[in-house]
């Protein structure tokens, strides 16, 4: 068992609140998108069940990512997955000829802010100790 494994196992599941402003900017962006997707899913269910399910999956995806971010399971590489996930939401909206509305602006704005903040965090993550190992 390596020292990294022992350290990871001894840490609590919830690692605490992040420090600095960038993580909070990313979290607010993710939660804005989550709010839009989960609040609109019930309305969409009446018209398009597939799209409603996709909205729920998008919202749950952001919530799950937030939970992992605040846990001992977070790894620097996950920033890249998070960025791709957020950008996929924007691309899907454009590809489906999404209608511009207040909710779309909130969601796509949140996803853009999230992606930029996640990119910043990826580039400036102090926990990147792979080079030192």
């Amino acid at each position: 068992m390596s020292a990294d494994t022992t350290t990871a196992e001894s840490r609590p599941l919830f690692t605490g609140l992040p420090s600095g402003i960038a993580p909070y900017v990313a979290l607010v962006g993710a939660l804005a998108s989550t709010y839009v997707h989960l609040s609109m899913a019930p309305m969409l269910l009446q018209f398009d069940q597939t799209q409603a399910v996709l909205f729920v999956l998008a919202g749950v995806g952001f919530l799950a990512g937030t939970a992992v971010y605040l846990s001992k399971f977070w790894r620097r590489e996950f920033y890249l997955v998070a960025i791709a996930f957020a950008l996929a939401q924007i691309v899907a909206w454009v590809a489906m000829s999404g209608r511009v509305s207040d909710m779309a602006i909130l969601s796509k704005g949140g996803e853009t802010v999230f992606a930029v903040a996640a990119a910043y965090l990826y580039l400036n993550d102090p926990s990147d100790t792979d080079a030192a190992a």
Side-chain angles (χ1 to χ4, degrees):
M1 193 180 293
S2 71
D4 289 338
T5 306
T6 305
T7 304
E9 290 175 1
S10 64
R11 289 189 303 173
L13 178 61
F14 175 68
T15 58
L17 296 175
S19 61
I21 189 78
Y24 290 101
V25 170
L27 290 171
V28 168
L31 293 176
S33 183
T34 299
Y35 166 76
V36 171
H37 284 96
L38 294 181
S39 66
M40 291 188 67
M43 292 180 284
L44 286 171
L45 194 57
Q46 300 171 13
F47 306 105
D48 187 345
Q49 291 181 350
T50 301
Q51 192 171 6
V53 168
L54 292 173
F55 267 56
V56 169
L57 290 174
V60 169
F62 277 113
L63 286 178
T66 299
V68 172
Y69 178 69
L70 297 174
S71 78
K72 68 180 182 180
F73 301 111
W74 185 257
R75 302 292 177 264
R76 181 174 181 258
E77 296 76 22
F78 292 169
Y79 287 119
L80 298 175
V81 175
I83 293 164
F85 183 75
L87 294 177
Q89 305 300 315
I90 297 168
V91 169
W93 179 75
V94 170
M96 295 178 71
S97 302
R99 192 172 62 92
V100 177
S101 66
D102 290 344
M103 294 295 262
I105 291 169
L106 177 61
S107 177
K108 302 310 133 196
E111 291 154 7
T112 301
V113 165
F114 173 79
V116 170
Y120 172 84
L121 290 167
Y122 174 75
L123 295 172
N124 296 289
D125 189 345
S127 69
D128 184 25
T129 56
D130 292 335

